[in-house]
Amino acid sequence: MSRYGLRLLYSAIVVWGAFTGAFFLLYVVPGDAAGGLTAGADGADVKQLLAEQRELLGLDRPVWVQYWDALTGALQGDFGQSIYQRRPAVEVYFESFPETLKLAFLGLLLAVVLGVTLSVVIELTNWKWARELLISLPPVAVSLPPFLVGLVLLQLFAFQLHWIKAVNDQSFGGLFIASAALAVAGGGSISQLLTANLRGALTSPYVETARNWGLSRFDVVVRHALKNAALPVVTSLGTTVGVMVGGTVLTETVFSRLGVGRLVVDAVNGRDMPVVLVAVTISAVIFVVVNLVVDAVYPLLDKRIQWDG
């Protein structure tokens, strides 16, 4: 089997594993959707009503039967209906998807710009103390969780400067600040990897040749060293996308934005299994597709790599 055939197989296993893990994790959590639907009921008929709801939702069946039905339905593109909205779970998900896609895409773009800019500035800085200070920034950025960065930015731009609304600001300013909170950790990760590779590239013979041509330090770093140093960063973008997709849940919750993150939080709290499975499966598909695309275009960036591995 070729390298890309194995990648496709591994990708299918990842998606299946994400689906299966989400199903059984939600299953073992105490409570179920039937309890949520009967939460407002009282009196002696509560147990009977709960049993009727569980039977209606199919929750009284053995777990393996429920899993098999969910899996075979998902393979056909049918995840069932949202328990609370009484609509197809796929339809419910894709209503919220555009806002999350904008947040994740802008966050990824800002992360790349932030990481590349910081790495280039580090290499162009001549003062040792300034360079050491800048080098310490990426590890700090990576260690900061998106929700903490989001809370700080929300406090600053919403409550202090009043530039954005504190709740569900759908303007570009609100989107930009939320994306910035998402981009800090990703930008720090990109900068760490790129800085290390730039240092190696700047000691290469072709860089010495460029210096002997009389090129400025900026031209040497940006026009020659950066291209080769960026190749491993391109590979890491698949992981960065995964971080972005996961970070949108917390970021949308902090900024009270309507999107997949809020939808997933509400679905988990309500044990809305179909919606949770749709969200987890599509997130896994996005992750593996991005990694497959990165793996496929890598030979275009480095001619030393062959398509068949």
PDB file of all heavy atoms in Angstrom, residues 163-188:
ATOM      1  N   TRP A 163     -14.844  49.000  23.076  1.00  0.00           N
ATOM      2  CA  TRP A 163     -14.729  48.907  21.609  1.00  0.00           C
ATOM      3  C   TRP A 163     -15.638  47.819  21.048  1.00  0.00           C
ATOM      4  O   TRP A 163     -16.036  47.894  19.887  1.00  0.00           O
ATOM      5  CB  TRP A 163     -13.283  48.628  21.207  1.00  0.00           C
ATOM      6  CG  TRP A 163     -12.376  49.807  21.397  1.00  0.00           C
ATOM      7  CD1 TRP A 163     -12.708  51.036  21.911  1.00  0.00           C
ATOM      8  CD2 TRP A 163     -10.979  49.884  21.100  1.00  0.00           C
ATOM      9  NE1 TRP A 163     -11.611  51.862  21.958  1.00  0.00           N
ATOM     10  CE2 TRP A 163     -10.534  51.180  21.454  1.00  0.00           C
ATOM     11  CE3 TRP A 163     -10.056  48.983  20.571  1.00  0.00           C
ATOM     12  CZ2 TRP A 163      -9.225  51.589  21.290  1.00  0.00           C
ATOM     13  CZ3 TRP A 163      -8.750  49.388  20.409  1.00  0.00           C
ATOM     14  CH2 TRP A 163      -8.334  50.679  20.761  1.00  0.00           C
ATOM     15  N   ILE A 164     -15.941  46.825  21.831  1.00  0.00           N
ATOM     16  CA  ILE A 164     -16.804  45.732  21.387  1.00  0.00           C
ATOM     17  C   ILE A 164     -17.857  45.471  22.449  1.00  0.00           C
ATOM     18  O   ILE A 164     -17.730  45.936  23.593  1.00  0.00           O
ATOM     19  CB  ILE A 164     -16.012  44.435  21.111  1.00  0.00           C
ATOM     20  CG1 ILE A 164     -15.364  43.915  22.395  1.00  0.00           C
ATOM     21  CG2 ILE A 164     -14.974  44.647  20.017  1.00  0.00           C
ATOM     22  CD1 ILE A 164     -14.702  42.566  22.264  1.00  0.00           C
ATOM     23  N   LYS A 165     -18.902  44.729  22.068  1.00  0.00           N
ATOM     24  CA  LYS A 165     -19.924  44.331  23.028  1.00  0.00           C
ATOM     25  C   LYS A 165     -19.433  43.123  23.828  1.00  0.00           C
ATOM     26  O   LYS A 165     -18.693  42.284  23.315  1.00  0.00           O
ATOM     27  CB  LYS A 165     -21.219  43.970  22.313  1.00  0.00           C
ATOM     28  CG  LYS A 165     -21.844  45.119  21.531  1.00  0.00           C
ATOM     29  CD  LYS A 165     -23.088  44.644  20.807  1.00  0.00           C
ATOM     30  CE  LYS A 165     -23.700  45.757  19.965  1.00  0.00           C
ATOM     31  NZ  LYS A 165     -24.882  45.275  19.207  1.00  0.00           N
ATOM     32  N   ALA A 166     -19.886  43.042  25.055  1.00  0.00           N
ATOM     33  CA  ALA A 166     -19.457  41.931  25.903  1.00  0.00           C
ATOM     34  C   ALA A 166     -20.167  40.637  25.556  1.00  0.00           C
ATOM     35  O   ALA A 166     -19.655  39.555  25.837  1.00  0.00           O
ATOM     36  CB  ALA A 166     -19.695  42.280  27.373  1.00  0.00           C
ATOM     37  N   VAL A 167     -21.331  40.722  24.918  1.00  0.00           N
ATOM     38  CA  VAL A 167     -22.135  39.541  24.619  1.00  0.00           C
ATOM     39  C   VAL A 167     -22.479  39.510  23.138  1.00  0.00           C
ATOM     40  O   VAL A 167     -23.055  40.467  22.606  1.00  0.00           O
ATOM     41  CB  VAL A 167     -23.435  39.521  25.452  1.00  0.00           C
ATOM     42  CG1 VAL A 167     -24.291  38.317  25.081  1.00  0.00           C
ATOM     43  CG2 VAL A 167     -23.125  39.524  26.944  1.00  0.00           C
ATOM     44  N   ASN A 168     -22.068  38.432  22.462  1.00  0.00           N
ATOM     45  CA  ASN A 168     -22.469  38.151  21.077  1.00  0.00           C
ATOM     46  C   ASN A 168     -22.271  39.338  20.152  1.00  0.00           C
ATOM     47  O   ASN A 168     -23.196  39.771  19.452  1.00  0.00           O
ATOM     48  CB  ASN A 168     -23.929  37.681  21.034  1.00  0.00           C
ATOM     49  CG  ASN A 168     -24.289  37.084  19.684  1.00  0.00           C
ATOM     50  OD1 ASN A 168     -23.432  36.570  18.975  1.00  0.00           O
ATOM     51  ND2 ASN A 168     -25.561  37.154  19.325  1.00  0.00           N
ATOM     52  N   ASP A 169     -21.056  39.884  20.135  1.00  0.00           N
ATOM     53  CA  ASP A 169     -20.728  40.974  19.210  1.00  0.00           C
ATOM     54  C   ASP A 169     -20.429  40.361  17.839  1.00  0.00           C
ATOM     55  O   ASP A 169     -19.401  39.722  17.646  1.00  0.00           O
ATOM     56  CB  ASP A 169     -19.517  41.749  19.727  1.00  0.00           C
ATOM     57  CG  ASP A 169     -19.270  43.039  18.946  1.00  0.00           C
ATOM     58  OD1 ASP A 169     -19.657  43.092  17.758  1.00  0.00           O
ATOM     59  OD2 ASP A 169     -18.697  43.977  19.512  1.00  0.00           O
ATOM     60  N   GLN A 170     -21.330  40.580  16.875  1.00  0.00           N
ATOM     61  CA  GLN A 170     -21.181  39.997  15.547  1.00  0.00           C
ATOM     62  C   GLN A 170     -20.459  40.919  14.571  1.00  0.00           C
ATOM     63  O   GLN A 170     -20.373  40.622  13.388  1.00  0.00           O
ATOM     64  CB  GLN A 170     -22.559  39.636  14.977  1.00  0.00           C
ATOM     65  CG  GLN A 170     -23.305  38.592  15.787  1.00  0.00           C
ATOM     66  CD  GLN A 170     -22.596  37.252  15.825  1.00  0.00           C
ATOM     67  OE1 GLN A 170     -21.990  36.820  14.846  1.00  0.00           O
ATOM     68  NE2 GLN A 170     -22.651  36.582  16.969  1.00  0.00           N
ATOM     69  N   SER A 171     -19.951  42.059  15.059  1.00  0.00           N
ATOM     70  CA  SER A 171     -19.201  42.969  14.195  1.00  0.00           C
ATOM     71  C   SER A 171     -17.829  42.399  13.890  1.00  0.00           C
ATOM     72  O   SER A 171     -17.369  41.432  14.527  1.00  0.00           O
ATOM     73  CB  SER A 171     -19.056  44.339  14.866  1.00  0.00           C
ATOM     74  OG  SER A 171     -18.240  44.236  16.024  1.00  0.00           O
ATOM     75  N   PHE A 172     -17.139  43.032  12.918  1.00  0.00           N
ATOM     76  CA  PHE A 172     -15.794  42.557  12.592  1.00  0.00           C
ATOM     77  C   PHE A 172     -14.849  42.766  13.765  1.00  0.00           C
ATOM     78  O   PHE A 172     -13.936  41.964  13.989  1.00  0.00           O
ATOM     79  CB  PHE A 172     -15.263  43.287  11.349  1.00  0.00           C
ATOM     80  CG  PHE A 172     -13.872  42.855  10.968  1.00  0.00           C
ATOM     81  CD1 PHE A 172     -13.662  41.652  10.312  1.00  0.00           C
ATOM     82  CD2 PHE A 172     -12.768  43.634  11.294  1.00  0.00           C
ATOM     83  CE1 PHE A 172     -12.378  41.229   9.980  1.00  0.00           C
ATOM     84  CE2 PHE A 172     -11.485  43.236  10.963  1.00  0.00           C
ATOM     85  CZ  PHE A 172     -11.293  42.031  10.296  1.00  0.00           C
ATOM     86  N   GLY A 173     -15.050  43.854  14.516  1.00  0.00           N
ATOM     87  CA  GLY A 173     -14.198  44.094  15.682  1.00  0.00           C
ATOM     88  C   GLY A 173     -14.321  42.978  16.707  1.00  0.00           C
ATOM     89  O   GLY A 173     -13.325  42.503  17.249  1.00  0.00           O
ATOM     90  N   GLY A 174     -15.569  42.559  16.965  1.00  0.00           N
ATOM     91  CA  GLY A 174     -15.771  41.459  17.895  1.00  0.00           C
ATOM     92  C   GLY A 174     -15.159  40.166  17.389  1.00  0.00           C
ATOM     93  O   GLY A 174     -14.569  39.398  18.157  1.00  0.00           O
ATOM     94  N   LEU A 175     -15.309  39.918  16.078  1.00  0.00           N
ATOM     95  CA  LEU A 175     -14.712  38.725  15.479  1.00  0.00           C
ATOM     96  C   LEU A 175     -13.190  38.780  15.563  1.00  0.00           C
ATOM     97  O   LEU A 175     -12.538  37.768  15.871  1.00  0.00           O
ATOM     98  CB  LEU A 175     -15.150  38.614  14.012  1.00  0.00           C
ATOM     99  CG  LEU A 175     -14.518  37.493  13.186  1.00  0.00           C
ATOM    100  CD1 LEU A 175     -14.906  36.132  13.740  1.00  0.00           C
ATOM    101  CD2 LEU A 175     -14.932  37.601  11.719  1.00  0.00           C
ATOM    102  N   PHE A 176     -12.611  39.945  15.329  1.00  0.00           N
ATOM    103  CA  PHE A 176     -11.153  40.084  15.338  1.00  0.00           C
ATOM    104  C   PHE A 176     -10.584  39.843  16.736  1.00  0.00           C
ATOM    105  O   PHE A 176      -9.580  39.133  16.892  1.00  0.00           O
ATOM    106  CB  PHE A 176     -10.755  41.482  14.850  1.00  0.00           C
ATOM    107  CG  PHE A 176      -9.272  41.672  14.698  1.00  0.00           C
ATOM    108  CD1 PHE A 176      -8.639  41.318  13.517  1.00  0.00           C
ATOM    109  CD2 PHE A 176      -8.507  42.195  15.735  1.00  0.00           C
ATOM    110  CE1 PHE A 176      -7.266  41.480  13.375  1.00  0.00           C
ATOM    111  CE2 PHE A 176      -7.144  42.361  15.597  1.00  0.00           C
ATOM    112  CZ  PHE A 176      -6.522  42.007  14.415  1.00  0.00           C
ATOM    113  N   ILE A 177     -11.204  40.420  17.755  1.00  0.00           N
ATOM    114  CA  ILE A 177     -10.708  40.240  19.123  1.00  0.00           C
ATOM    115  C   ILE A 177     -10.832  38.784  19.553  1.00  0.00           C
ATOM    116  O   ILE A 177      -9.916  38.220  20.159  1.00  0.00           O
ATOM    117  CB  ILE A 177     -11.477  41.151  20.094  1.00  0.00           C
ATOM    118  CG1 ILE A 177     -11.268  42.629  19.736  1.00  0.00           C
ATOM    119  CG2 ILE A 177     -11.015  40.897  21.524  1.00  0.00           C
ATOM    120  CD1 ILE A 177      -9.826  43.077  19.742  1.00  0.00           C
ATOM    121  N   ALA A 178     -11.958  38.146  19.217  1.00  0.00           N
ATOM    122  CA  ALA A 178     -12.118  36.730  19.555  1.00  0.00           C
ATOM    123  C   ALA A 178     -11.090  35.875  18.817  1.00  0.00           C
ATOM    124  O   ALA A 178     -10.528  34.920  19.389  1.00  0.00           O
ATOM    125  CB  ALA A 178     -13.537  36.274  19.218  1.00  0.00           C
ATOM    126  N   SER A 179     -10.829  36.201  17.558  1.00  0.00           N
ATOM    127  CA  SER A 179      -9.830  35.461  16.779  1.00  0.00           C
ATOM    128  C   SER A 179      -8.434  35.671  17.344  1.00  0.00           C
ATOM    129  O   SER A 179      -7.603  34.754  17.334  1.00  0.00           O
ATOM    130  CB  SER A 179      -9.877  35.894  15.313  1.00  0.00           C
ATOM    131  OG  SER A 179     -11.144  35.645  14.749  1.00  0.00           O
ATOM    132  N   ALA A 180      -8.160  36.885  17.829  1.00  0.00           N
ATOM    133  CA  ALA A 180      -6.849  37.155  18.432  1.00  0.00           C
ATOM    134  C   ALA A 180      -6.631  36.291  19.675  1.00  0.00           C
ATOM    135  O   ALA A 180      -5.524  35.786  19.899  1.00  0.00           O
ATOM    136  CB  ALA A 180      -6.737  38.637  18.782  1.00  0.00           C
ATOM    137  N   ALA A 181      -7.687  36.125  20.473  1.00  0.00           N
ATOM    138  CA  ALA A 181      -7.575  35.260  21.648  1.00  0.00           C
ATOM    139  C   ALA A 181      -7.265  33.832  21.235  1.00  0.00           C
ATOM    140  O   ALA A 181      -6.518  33.114  21.906  1.00  0.00           O
ATOM    141  CB  ALA A 181      -8.875  35.318  22.457  1.00  0.00           C
ATOM    142  N   LEU A 182      -7.833  33.413  20.127  1.00  0.00           N
ATOM    143  CA  LEU A 182      -7.613  32.051  19.622  1.00  0.00           C
ATOM    144  C   LEU A 182      -6.221  31.897  19.012  1.00  0.00           C
ATOM    145  O   LEU A 182      -5.663  30.797  18.996  1.00  0.00           O
ATOM    146  CB  LEU A 182      -8.681  31.741  18.580  1.00  0.00           C
ATOM    147  CG  LEU A 182      -8.844  30.307  18.089  1.00  0.00           C
ATOM    148  CD1 LEU A 182      -9.227  29.394  19.244  1.00  0.00           C
ATOM    149  CD2 LEU A 182      -9.903  30.246  17.004  1.00  0.00           C
ATOM    150  N   ALA A 183      -5.660  33.006  18.504  1.00  0.00           N
ATOM    151  CA  ALA A 183      -4.419  32.941  17.730  1.00  0.00           C
ATOM    152  C   ALA A 183      -3.157  32.967  18.580  1.00  0.00           C
ATOM    153  O   ALA A 183      -2.078  32.618  18.086  1.00  0.00           O
ATOM    154  CB  ALA A 183      -4.369  34.105  16.734  1.00  0.00           C
ATOM    155  N   VAL A 184      -3.266  33.376  19.829  1.00  0.00           N
ATOM    156  CA  VAL A 184      -2.062  33.565  20.645  1.00  0.00           C
ATOM    157  C   VAL A 184      -1.284  32.259  20.808  1.00  0.00           C
ATOM    158  O   VAL A 184      -0.072  32.203  20.553  1.00  0.00           O
ATOM    159  CB  VAL A 184      -2.436  34.159  22.016  1.00  0.00           C
ATOM    160  CG1 VAL A 184      -1.231  34.127  22.967  1.00  0.00           C
ATOM    161  CG2 VAL A 184      -2.915  35.585  21.859  1.00  0.00           C
ATOM    162  N   ALA A 185      -1.954  31.204  21.231  1.00  0.00           N
ATOM    163  CA  ALA A 185      -1.265  29.920  21.442  1.00  0.00           C
ATOM    164  C   ALA A 185      -0.745  29.354  20.123  1.00  0.00           C
ATOM    165  O   ALA A 185       0.391  28.859  20.048  1.00  0.00           O
ATOM    166  CB  ALA A 185      -2.199  28.923  22.117  1.00  0.00           C
ATOM    167  N   GLY A 186      -1.564  29.436  19.062  1.00  0.00           N
ATOM    168  CA  GLY A 186      -1.119  28.937  17.757  1.00  0.00           C
ATOM    169  C   GLY A 186       0.059  29.719  17.217  1.00  0.00           C
ATOM    170  O   GLY A 186       0.997  29.141  16.653  1.00  0.00           O
ATOM    171  N   GLY A 187       0.030  31.034  17.372  1.00  0.00           N
ATOM    172  CA  GLY A 187       1.153  31.860  16.921  1.00  0.00           C
ATOM    173  C   GLY A 187       2.423  31.564  17.682  1.00  0.00           C
ATOM    174  O   GLY A 187       3.518  31.530  17.110  1.00  0.00           O
ATOM    175  N   GLY A 188       2.300  31.312  18.985  1.00  0.00           N
ATOM    176  CA  GLY A 188       3.474  30.960  19.778  1.00  0.00           C
ATOM    177  C   GLY A 188       4.077  29.638  19.341  1.00  0.00           C
ATOM    178  O   GLY A 188       5.308  29.497  19.260  1.00  0.00           O
TER     179      GLY A 188
END
